[in-house]
Amino acid sequence: MASNLMTKKANAPKANSARVKPEVVAPTPKAPGFSLFKLLDKYTNVDALFEEGVPLKYLPHVLFITGITLFYIGNTHYAEKTIRRIDKIKVETEDLRADYTTLKSDYMEASKQSEVARNVAPLGLIESSSPPYQVIVPADEY
């Protein structure tokens, strides 16, 4: 027989009996100390506000303050997100400015007359040694 199927047999049938309540030990009083909640309870009489139920006359003010608080929190999150985005764009702009300066200096170097002559020499082109001259066409010839 399997061990998990074996059950313990009761010696005697159980009868209904009254439960014995454990003795309640009174808590020992604590030494007086500082507590924020005791201080708040002492100086704010919130219980008097709720004696007759929830005071609905304060509800518009509470909702207005809640709305302003939510707007303030959302505005703070939006401002922080915008500042992070500005910092990210500022770094990207500095990188692009550095790339622009590098490319501009490379272009200025490559567009010098000596560099152009050196780059087109393999194509068989040579630099002209005579200065350019102006061709004048009479008005009646054109």
Side-chain angles (χ1 to χ4, degrees):
M1 184 181 263
S3 62
N4 61 354
L5 295 179
M6 295 176 65
T7 57
K8 196 176 203 182
K9 292 183 181 179
N11 293 338
K14 292 186 178 183
N16 290 336
S17 62
R19 289 187 183 172
V20 179
K21 291 184 179 180
E23 292 182 23
V24 178
V25 179
T28 58
K30 293 184 179 180
F34 177 76
S35 172
L36 178 66
F37 296 110
K38 286 181 185 177
L39 188 69
L40 283 174
D41 192 34
K42 181 179 177 182
Y43 290 110
T44 59
N45 192 8
V46 179
D47 292 336
L49 273 176
F50 295 106
E51 283 178 351
E52 299 168 4
V54 178
L56 294 178
K57 66 180 181 180
Y58 299 118
L59 191 62
H61 301 295
V62 169
L63 290 177
F64 179 71
I65 297 295
T66 304
I68 288 176
T69 304
L70 288 175
F71 176 76
Y72 178 75
I73 291 169
N75 193 24
T76 304
H77 284 294
Y78 178 74
E80 287 177 1
K81 185 172 76 172
T82 304
I83 289 171
R84 277 191 232 106
R85 193 172 67 224
I86 287 171
D87 289 341
K88 182 180 170 185
I89 290 173
K90 197 179 289 186
V91 168
E92 186 178 340
T93 303
E94 290 173 4
D95 290 343
L96 290 174
R97 183 175 290 127
D99 290 344
Y100 167 74
T101 306
T102 304
L103 290 174
K104 183 179 177 183
S105 67
D106 289 345
Y107 176 71
M108 293 300 286
E109 180 69 27
S111 64
K112 286 183 181 177
Q113 185 178 358
S114 60
E115 286 294 319
V116 172
R118 188 179 322 140
N119 289 336
V120 296
L123 299 174
L125 300 174
I126 57 171
E127 190 175 349
S128 175
S129 58
S130 62
Y133 58 93
Q134 185 175 8
V135 178
I136 300 173
V137 179
D140 59 347
E141 222 178 273
Y142 183 66

